[in-house]
Amino acid sequence: MYGVAKTIAPALHVADLTHEITPYNIWEASYRLYQTLSYWPVGTVFVFVVDPGVGSDRKSVCALTKTGHYVYYTDNGTLTHIAKFFGLKAVRKINEIEPLAHSDESHTFHGHDVYAYNGARLASGQLDFSDIGPKINPATIVKLPPVVTADSITGMVDILDVRFGSKKKRTWYTQQPFKASDWFVVILAIALFGITLYLFKLNHGRFYDPFN
């Protein structure tokens, strides 16, 4: 992908967001993109490829967010968080009539054959957003919903940044109900503290002194 981008525009600055998305985990990809997008300058072009359906008839698209960023991605739910929290101004289906040379020889490398190729052209000014391809109604893009049944709604924790100690994400510490053993430990700790205060008062401000 670097090679394709540099071939299209040698002076183009290319940076990595991450290569640590769990394979095929679209939800994680969606959250990581939402987590980082606003830290980049307006007009930045993102090429975000987590594409379990590569080679199928899923759509390749480019979205312009309401924050002014462009995202080349597979319409498989990758923009779930971006659409909800930032909003989408416009979406276009990528026109693959003029693809990267020799890309017809491969059906599994759309990351560089289609996304990096077109992303580099857009970022370098060789391609205008309006020329990427036909418009798509932003409301119709694929989003990953919670699982809804007749008597329940099943959601998911967005992400667990346990490597960095993300306090607000570690909900399991506070959500589990107290067990009998938990109450025993709490009561014992209170009792020991009370005994300590009593002995402190009994010895006139001194703790136990074996030499006096």
Side-chain angles (χ1 to χ4, degrees):
M1 292 173 69
Y2 269 72
V4 170
K6 289 294 187 179
T7 298
I8 299 301
L12 198 64
H13 175 66
V14 182
D16 293 319
L17 281 183
T18 180
H19 291 286
E20 296 187 5
I21 301 296
T22 304
Y24 313 123
N25 192 327
I26 298 170
W27 181 270
E28 183 180 343
S30 173
Y31 185 81
R32 290 304 187 194
L33 183 58
Y34 155 68
Q35 196 176 37
T36 57
L37 181 135
S38 62
Y39 291 97
W40 290 80
V42 171
T44 298
V45 177
F46 294 85
V47 174
F48 217 77
V49 185
V50 177
D51 190 11
V54 64
S56 68
D57 59 356
R58 85 285 181 273
K59 294 192 294 291
S60 296
V61 299
C62 180
L64 171 59
T65 71
K66 289 185 177 179
T67 57
H69 300 86
Y70 298 91
V71 184
Y72 277 92
Y73 77 106
T74 299
D75 187 22
N76 58 7
T78 301
L79 252 60
T80 297
H81 289 82
I82 296 295
K84 179 176 176 61
F85 295 107
F86 293 150
L88 302 178
K89 187 174 181 179
V91 180
R92 290 184 176 269
K93 184 177 183 296
I94 299 173
N95 185 349
E96 298 180 25
I97 296 176
E98 298 180 5
L100 175 69
H102 306 297
S103 63
D104 56 342
E105 300 171 4
S106 170
H107 297 284
T108 58
F109 292 100
H110 289 176
H112 56 61
D113 293 347
V114 178
Y115 304 148
Y117 171 68
N118 284 283
R121 293 170 68 207
L122 178 64
S124 62
Q126 300 176 37
L127 178 68
D128 189 78
F129 180 73
S130 61
D131 296 326
I132 289 174
K135 291 181 179 180
I136 297 175
N137 184 346
T140 65
I141 69 164
V142 176
K143 302 181 184 69
L144 301 177
V147 179
V148 181
T149 64
D151 56 359
S152 68
I153 299 177
T154 303
M156 62 180 72
V157 176
D158 278 330
I159 211 75
L160 292 173
D161 282 327
V162 293
R163 180 186 300 179
F164 305 108
S166 181
K167 181 179 178 181
K168 65 180 181 181
K169 302 295 192 303
R170 295 183 171 181
T171 56
W172 64 86
Y173 291 125
T174 56
Q175 293 300 317
Q176 291 186 1
F178 262 41
K179 300 176 182 178
S181 58
D182 297 322
W183 284 113
F184 173 77
V185 171
V186 171
I187 293 172
L188 179 62
I190 294 173
L192 290 174
F193 182 68
I195 292 171
T196 300
L197 293 178
Y198 172 74
L199 291 176
F200 187 76
K201 182 177 180 181
L202 187 66
N203 287 284
H204 306 292
R206 293 182 297 106
F207 287 102
Y208 175 69
D209 184 354
F211 301 103
N212 187 351

